[in-house]
Amino acid sequence: MELPFFPPDLFADDRKVMLELLWEIGTGREQKFILGERTAHFEALLRESLGAADVVACGSGTAALGLVLRAMDIGPGDEVVVPAFGCAPLASSALEVGAKPVFADVAPHTMVVDPDDVERRITDRTKAIMPAHMFSIMADMPRFVELAAKYGLRLLEDSAVAQGAVLDGTSAGLWGDAGVFSFVQVKSFGMPGEGGAVVTRDPELGRKVRMLRNHGQNRRRFIYEIVGTNSRFDEIQAAFQTYRFAGLPARLERRAAIADYYTERFSGLDGRGVVLPPPSGREGRCYYVYCVQAEERDELRDHLAKRGIGSHVYYPQPLPLQAGFAPHAPAGGRWPNAEYASRRILALPIYPHLSDSEVTYIADAVCDFAAEEGVSH
């Protein structure tokens, strides 16, 4: 059995629709390929489904973070507290607007940024905090809302991986001043290409992001009210995502069901820390990937590969210890939980078109590895 981590057939069932949209839009009389009626319709669809004041589709989730920071007037001399464990945009988005990323450690089991450590790192130069939802678990957003209010900070929610997740009745992306989504392939609402969105309850913030993504233009072409950039959304992808939106709840449910099964199978495998699943439950969850922690992570990865099962390491090293970001972190700084997670984490396949037998095959392989390591299951 061959079960790649990045399946090449993720959009196979929608191939006919994609080809039809490509032809329709590519040969359309208006020759409008970016920021047209289809993008506007897609934004409206997301806005209404979330109850947001505005949704602004843009070039990527990474771009969305930078656009929001610019719209918040965050720049040189300012600090943004970000997780030490995660993807590069958490730090690079702050650096690109001239601000300094301040790295906070994560909780050891969930691998989500620790609010207590975030609070310890707030200074009089801090202008924003940027918690990120990681893997299947949302950050403690109620606590971050309290911190933002207590210290008078902007709250930017990196919800790139968590579209569809809900915590305490509030959707991911709507807890702070703004949130972002990513539509890259493996995300919960992924697509065959790059794309992202800013979501916000603040109409003025949305208006400014909307200008920034399109060279600073506001409705009138070639009239530049501010200095912006090019982060515009593709009309073909907008049409394709609109078509696929109705199926999102079912895909999310399938991912969650697979995660429930994995967690049930793996819950007895942590006697020696060999394989530790994420905490069980569905509150504040969106299983875009499913990550376990394993003491013998590389051996587990090899064990799965021999059985045709792909896996992936998110992330092999904390951000402040990587060459690109170390100059912006305190010399000799340590983030022990992030470092621990980097040595142990391994993501398993969880895409929604996995069959029950394939899911069982993956779980059996993990359990077999644990048995070989001397842990009963």
Side-chain angles (χ1 to χ4, degrees), residues 24-25 27-33 37-38 235:
E24 174 189 326
I25 297 169
T27 61
R29 181 182 296 273
E30 65 275 16
Q31 289 292 285
K32 185 78 170 178
F33 304 129
E37 293 180 0
R38 295 169 181 85
E235 283 284 277

Side-chain angles (χ1 to χ4, degrees), residues 142-167:
R143 179 76 191 284
F144 285 115
V145 169
E146 292 176 1
L147 288 178
K150 179 179 178 180
Y151 293 99
L153 304 174
R154 306 304 294 264
L155 177 55
L156 172 51
E157 181 185 352
D158 184 350
S159 47
V161 307
Q163 187 173 356
V166 178
L167 178 64

Side-chain angles (χ1 to χ4, degrees), residues 5 7 33 47 50 73 114 142 169 175 211 213 217 233 356:
F5 185 79
F33 304 129
R47 184 174 65 247
L50 290 165
D73 295 321
D114 179 2
W175 281 90
M211 287 194 294
R213 71 159 177 193
Q217 299 171 99
F233 203 73
D356 288 348

Side-chain angles (χ1 to χ4, degrees), residues 4-346:
F5 185 79
F6 298 104
D9 59 345
L10 194 58
F11 306 102
D13 291 345
D14 303 313
R15 179 176 180 271
K16 184 174 183 293
V17 172
M18 172 57 90
L19 292 175
E20 289 173 350
L21 290 171
L22 180 63
W23 176 260
E24 174 189 326
I25 297 169
T27 61
R29 181 182 296 273
E30 65 275 16
Q31 289 292 285
K32 185 78 170 178
F33 304 129
I34 53 171
L35 298 188
E37 293 180 0
R38 295 169 181 85
T39 299
H41 180 68
F42 177 53
E43 291 173 333
L45 182 65
L46 295 181
R47 184 174 65 247
E48 292 164 10
S49 70
L50 290 165
D54 206 357
V55 171
V56 185
C58 57
S60 66
T62 299
L65 290 174
L67 290 169
V68 174
L69 290 174
R70 289 189 62 186
M72 290 176 171
D73 295 321
I74 292 173
D78 298 334
E79 294 179 352
V80 181
V81 184
V82 305
F85 186 59
C87 198
L90 289 168
S92 63
S93 59
L95 290 168
E96 286 175 1
V97 298
K100 177 184 177 180
V102 175
F103 299 100
D105 207 357
V106 298
H109 188 186
T110 64
M111 299 174 284
V112 177
V113 67
D114 179 2
D116 291 336
D117 200 46
V118 169
E119 185 170 18
R120 284 191 288 269
R121 297 174 189 272
I122 293 172
T123 71
D124 58 2
R125 294 182 297 278
T126 305
K127 291 297 174 65
I129 51 180
M130 190 194 299
H133 311 315
M134 294 293 290
F135 315 124
S136 62
I137 300 174
M138 286 181 64
D140 185 354
M141 294 312 299
R143 179 76 191 284
F144 285 115
V145 169
E146 292 176 1
L147 288 178
K150 179 179 178 180
Y151 293 99
L153 304 174
R154 306 304 294 264
L155 177 55
L156 172 51
E157 181 185 352
D158 184 350
S159 47
V161 307
Q163 187 173 356
V166 178
L167 178 64
D168 293 345
T170 297
S171 296
L174 292 180
W175 281 90
D177 295 283
V180 305
F181 294 146
S182 170
F183 305 133
V184 77
Q185 178 183 358
V186 295
K187 299 301 194 293
S188 60
F189 193 31
M191 66 188 195
E194 283 278 11
V198 173
V199 300
T200 181
R201 296 185 190 272
D202 182 347
E204 177 56 25
L205 192 63
R207 186 189 71 84
K208 194 167 183 181
V209 168
R210 195 170 291 279
M211 287 194 294
L212 285 168
R213 71 159 177 193
N214 192 23
H215 296 299
Q217 299 171 99
N218 182 21
R219 301 185 186 279
R220 291 190 297 167
R221 196 177 184 192
F222 303 132
I223 302 299
Y224 308 107
E225 299 188 18
I226 56 178
V227 177
T229 189
N230 179 359
S231 185
R232 300 175 293 198
F233 203 73
D234 181 275
E235 283 284 277
I236 296 170
Q237 298 286 15
F240 188 61
Q241 290 296 82
T242 298
Y243 158 76
R244 297 182 70 245
F245 186 73
L248 178 59
R251 295 192 296 274
L252 293 176
E253 171 59 31
R254 177 58 180 166
R255 287 177 180 270
I258 295 171
D260 288 344
Y261 179 77
Y262 282 161
T263 300
E264 181 181 0
R265 291 290 307 275
F266 305 156
S267 60
L269 303 182
D270 60 343
R272 281 175 43 199
V274 172
V275 178
L276 178 66
S280 61
R282 294 195 179 186
E283 174 72 4
R285 302 301 176 85
C286 185
Y287 291 96
Y288 101 100
V289 297
Y290 183 94
C291 291
V292 299
Q293 296 184 54
E295 291 290 351
E296 305 294 335
R297 188 266 311 283
D298 294 343
E299 288 80 359
L300 174 58
R301 180 175 54 189
D302 294 343
H303 172 90
L304 296 175
K306 290 176 182 177
R307 287 154 180 78
I309 300 168
S311 59
H312 198 64
V313 175
Y314 295 95
Y315 297 92
Q317 198 173 20
L319 290 174
L321 299 183
Q322 299 205 33
F325 300 114
H328 307 284
R334 298 298 301 272
W335 296 263
N337 293 334
E339 295 172 46
Y340 186 64
S342 293
R343 294 192 299 268
R344 291 164 46 92
I345 192 166
L346 190 69

